[in-house]
Amino acid sequence: MTAAMRRLLTGNEAIAHGAFHAGVGYGGCFPGGPTTEVTYTLRDLAAAAGGKPYLEWAINEKVALEAASGAAMSGVRSISVMKHFGVNNAADQLFAVALMGVPGLVLVVGDDPGGHSSHSEQDTRNYAFAAELPLIEPANPQEAYDLIQAAFVLSEQAKLPVYFRTVKWLSHWAAPVALTSSPRTPVARPAWDATQYETRPVVDRHRALHEKLVAVGDLVRSWTCNRTEGPEGSARIGVVAAGFAYTYVREALEVLGLRASVPLCKVATLNPLPEWVLVPFLSRCQQVLVVEEGEPLVLDRLKQLAHTAGLNCRLTRGTVPTVGELTPDSVLEAIASLAGVGVASPAPPASLKALAATLPERQPAPRAGNPHRATFYAVRRFIREAPRQVIFMGDVGEAPVVARRWMKSHATMGGGIGMAIGAAGADPDVIALTTCGDGTLLGFALGGLASAVYNRNRVITLICDNGTMESTGWQETATTGRNLTGPAPVLDIPGTLRALGLDRVEEVDARDAGAVLAALNRCAAENGPTAVVAVGRYTDDYPYVSVEIDEVQAPGLKSFVEDFACPALGWDGQRAYIDKAACVCCGDCARAAPTGAIRAIPKGVAR
């Protein structure tokens, strides 16, 4: 392999390169960590190759998978990319395409153990098992590159979509990847044949699905990603490593000096499990540690397999945690414990612990200059000053982070509207308030608003239109005039809401706390569903050169500092101050603060 044929790629980039080399022609995707870079890399590869594959950021994950499914029905290899809880939105279509038997379709899902960029850490392998789809999880970027190509072939051979799971560290880990020297598979031309993709007759389709999944086992029998390593013959202990866990297990065996004495079974096709590899392995081990990222799903299936095969080996997860992300230390300790080998995980130095103890506690807050910080300061005032109790149901976006302290709940994208409907229905005397961003509104919340109009629910929806899916990586929304690949039509949110039939729709400057508060009060006076659309954008060109606090009023600004929650605005125990290093001179605090307390100095004004 020549140097020119090796690239340093992350797991996400390797998946994209592999899909590109496999001749994928369509990508229906939705952004979200840890898999966003798969789509970006595919876009860049497509741009250099004349525009193929065709890629879109869909309005939500359901539409993304539906679109990829429709493209695959033409004979064009198609990919859909999303994060773990996106599958919740796409599940209806996922189960349908499994029954339909759509070939040439691969769903790439990034799980986020530990919830580093998510509101949950669900293990989505359950979806593949429930939908009875082939499930592949690579161990490293090289396998990600190789197996995504194999996944398309398998999908076409089995006439089934393939579920391709990655996890955070596989997605973001970079390693040398050997790129194939063979030509890229040409992107197929659409071939609309007479095949009809249906879920009925349901029982017959379900029976055929069972048969197809059994046949998948024969199709992957020669794949070397399922294999045993280490000593042959009988062993007191062995380890089964599923997917990415193999990387940590192999490293742990090397650190402990057990590579030559503890057999290892590596598994990458998790549904169906490679019984031809696993049964002989289990039959020669007295105890087997099963290491996998997430719930003990492989462990449970191995117990069933061992029982059916009449094997007496003891299967265990040991001390590997079932919550949070898998770590090298946790795997090392689990293997060492089972093997009876002493090991001490490195502890942070005392100096680091001492430093950590001195760090101040901070509430989560968007960065300085967030266009909706003043908006949520107005919300705080509205909650305090409203004539009736305000029940604030939130959202998981970036801007509402500052207001989570005041929310009754913040669950899912767009979920706040439905919860606010319930709050208003349960107690007509409260003011039911909810919020979401422009991207969330269009992808997940319009159904809730339609329900509120239909049922005359007295709910106020505050829409923070910042023109970006901020929490997923700053992708453009339909309000910006740009999509994944270039210019696009602009969707008018206030016009859409008025057409939907809301009683009142107010459009205000997001940075004007007074205007937001006044709009909320007007909406609270209505007897039906209403909305406030607070429009604001980030910019690198604010009109101010400096922001200064009046020294006389500084001691009285503690509550304002806490409620406004700007990282550049601090309290030293006695008075408010501006952190000049963090301040971007947006001037929003000066507009929202008590009169004269904070002054924003315009550019070009003599001081």
Side-chain angles (χ1 to χ4, degrees):
M1 190 68 63
T2 64
M5 297 168 67
R6 293 179 70 85
R7 292 275 305 276
L8 183 66
L9 300 176
T10 65
N12 283 340
E13 292 169 335
I15 291 169
H17 278 266
F20 180 77
H21 194 90
V24 66
Y26 184 91
C29 311
F30 189 81
T35 50
T36 304
E37 294 83 8
V38 175
T39 305
Y40 280 141
T41 304
L42 265 174
R43 179 194 63 181
D44 295 343
L45 291 169
K52 292 291 184 179
Y54 174 80
L55 297 163
E56 285 186 351
W57 285 135
I59 207 72
N60 60 35
E61 296 93 344
K62 182 176 183 290
V63 175
L65 183 56
E66 289 167 347
S69 305
M73 291 175 189
S74 76
V76 172
R77 288 182 171 179
S78 301
I79 191 171
S80 188
V81 182
M82 61 190 68
K83 70 183 298 173
H84 60 301
F85 54 70
V87 189
N88 301 337
N89 297 313
D92 195 23
Q93 180 70 3
L94 179 68
F95 281 81
V97 293
L99 277 181
M100 293 176 188
V102 178
L105 174 62
V106 176
L107 172 61
V108 176
V109 178
D111 283 3
D112 185 18
H116 290 269
S117 59
S118 313
H119 61 69
S120 73
E121 62 166 7
Q122 68 188 60
D123 188 336
T124 66
R125 294 177 300 170
N126 282 298
Y127 275 113
F129 292 130
E132 301 175 80
L133 289 175
L135 168 60
I136 298 172
E137 183 182 332
N140 51 55
Q142 182 66 62
E143 271 199 353
Y145 173 76
D146 294 333
L147 290 181
I148 192 70
Q149 297 177 70
F152 281 104
V153 175
L154 176 63
S155 176
E156 291 167 346
Q157 290 175 333
K159 292 183 169 52
L160 282 175
V162 171
Y163 198 104
F164 197 91
R165 186 217 194 195
T166 179
V167 292
K168 184 191 74 173
W169 283 117
L170 173 59
S171 289
H172 297 155
W173 167 30
V177 174
L179 303 178
T180 180
S181 59
S182 59
R184 176 192 179 198
T185 301
V187 175
R189 293 182 61 83
W192 298 103
D193 59 23
T195 303
Q196 291 181 297
Y197 295 94
E198 301 176 301
T199 60
R200 297 180 180 274
V202 173
V203 174
D204 291 343
R205 293 282 184 180
H206 196 186
R207 183 181 298 109
L209 178 57
H210 285 185
E211 295 168 353
K212 287 179 180 180
L213 195 58
V214 171
V216 168
D218 294 328
L219 293 172
V220 302
R221 196 176 186 94
S222 62
W223 288 17
T224 59
C225 56
N226 301 312
R227 62 178 183 269
T228 58
E229 300 176 1
E232 301 292 336
S234 299
R236 184 177 68 84
I237 64 170
V239 183
V240 171
F244 176 68
Y246 167 78
T247 300
Y248 289 165
V249 168
R250 182 180 172 117
E251 179 182 277
L253 291 174
E254 290 177 351
V255 170
L256 296 170
L258 298 176
R259 285 292 304 280
S261 58
V262 174
L264 168 61
C265 183
K266 177 190 176 304
V267 181
T269 58
L270 308 187
N271 196 38
L273 285 169
E275 297 182 11
W276 59 94
V277 175
L278 286 163
V279 170
F281 181 83
L282 299 180
S283 66
R284 64 188 177 94
C285 297
Q286 296 177 29
Q287 290 189 86
V288 172
L289 177 70
V290 181
V291 186
E292 54 188 309
E293 180 104 64
E295 304 292 340
L297 305 181
V298 173
L299 173 61
D300 289 345
R301 282 157 180 77
L302 286 180
K303 288 180 178 178
Q304 296 172 17
L305 178 61
H307 176 75
T308 302
L311 305 178
N312 294 319
C313 74
R314 177 177 175 267
L315 290 153
T316 179
R317 191 180 177 99
T319 61
V320 176
T322 57
V323 296
E325 64 181 338
L326 198 66
T327 66
D329 284 347
S330 64
V331 173
L332 183 75
E333 291 166 3
I335 295 175
S337 176
L338 195 66
V341 178
V343 63
S345 298
S351 58
L352 185 59
K353 290 183 177 180
L355 175 62
T358 66
L359 297 177
E361 292 187 10
R362 291 188 174 92
Q363 293 288 341
R367 72 174 192 174
N370 183 288
H372 287 92
R373 177 166 279 105
T375 297
F376 285 104
Y377 175 70
V379 168
R380 182 56 170 160
R381 288 189 56 189
F382 177 69
I383 292 172
R384 283 177 172 160
E385 300 168 9
R388 307 191 309 278
Q389 182 182 8
V390 177
I391 302 299
F392 187 19
M393 296 295 189
D395 197 80
V396 295
E398 184 70 17
V401 164
V402 71
R404 286 181 182 171
R405 294 168 288 168
W406 318 319
M407 293 176 181
K408 184 68 173 178
S409 177
H410 51 92
T412 61
M413 296 180 75
I417 294 176
M419 292 191 293
I421 288 172
D427 187 354
D429 292 331
V430 303
I431 298 174
L433 172 66
T434 185
T435 186
C436 67
D438 49 324
T440 297
L441 172 76
L442 300 174
F444 305 94
L446 283 177
L449 283 175
S451 185
V453 170
Y454 178 58
N455 291 293
R456 296 293 299 157
N457 300 124
R458 194 177 184 183
V459 172
I460 305 172
T461 302
L462 172 62
I463 296 144
C464 299
D465 179 359
N466 65 359
T468 179
M469 296 291 287
E470 189 173 354
S471 59
T472 65
W474 299 85
Q475 294 80 23
E476 296 89 349
T477 68
T479 66
T480 64
R482 291 193 61 82
N483 59 24
L484 179 62
T485 56
V490 175
L491 200 149
D492 176 10
I493 286 180
T496 299
L497 299 182
R498 293 186 181 105
L500 199 58
L502 274 74
D503 285 12
R504 176 183 288 271
V505 177
E506 298 262 357
E507 186 174 5
V508 295
D509 178 358
R511 298 182 184 275
D512 188 339
V516 175
L517 179 59
L520 288 171
N521 283 322
R522 287 191 292 271
C523 287
E526 300 287 343
N527 289 315
T530 57
V532 176
V533 184
V535 182
R537 297 290 187 267
Y538 279 103
T539 178
D540 293 325
D541 187 24
Y542 293 107
Y544 306 107
V545 69
S546 179
V547 177
E548 299 175 354
I549 294 179
D550 179 77
E551 290 301 315
V552 175
Q553 298 192 55
L557 293 177
K558 181 179 180 180
S559 62
F560 177 77
V561 170
E562 292 175 348
D563 290 346
F564 201 70
C566 178
L569 191 60
W571 178 260
D572 66 6
Q574 295 183 332
R575 58 199 308 110
Y577 67 91
I578 299 290
D579 183 345
K580 298 294 185 180
C583 183
V584 297
C585 299
C586 65
D588 292 352
C589 59
R591 295 176 71 179
T595 303
I598 301 177
R599 181 184 177 211
I601 311 300
K603 292 178 179 178
V605 174
R607 300 177 58 191

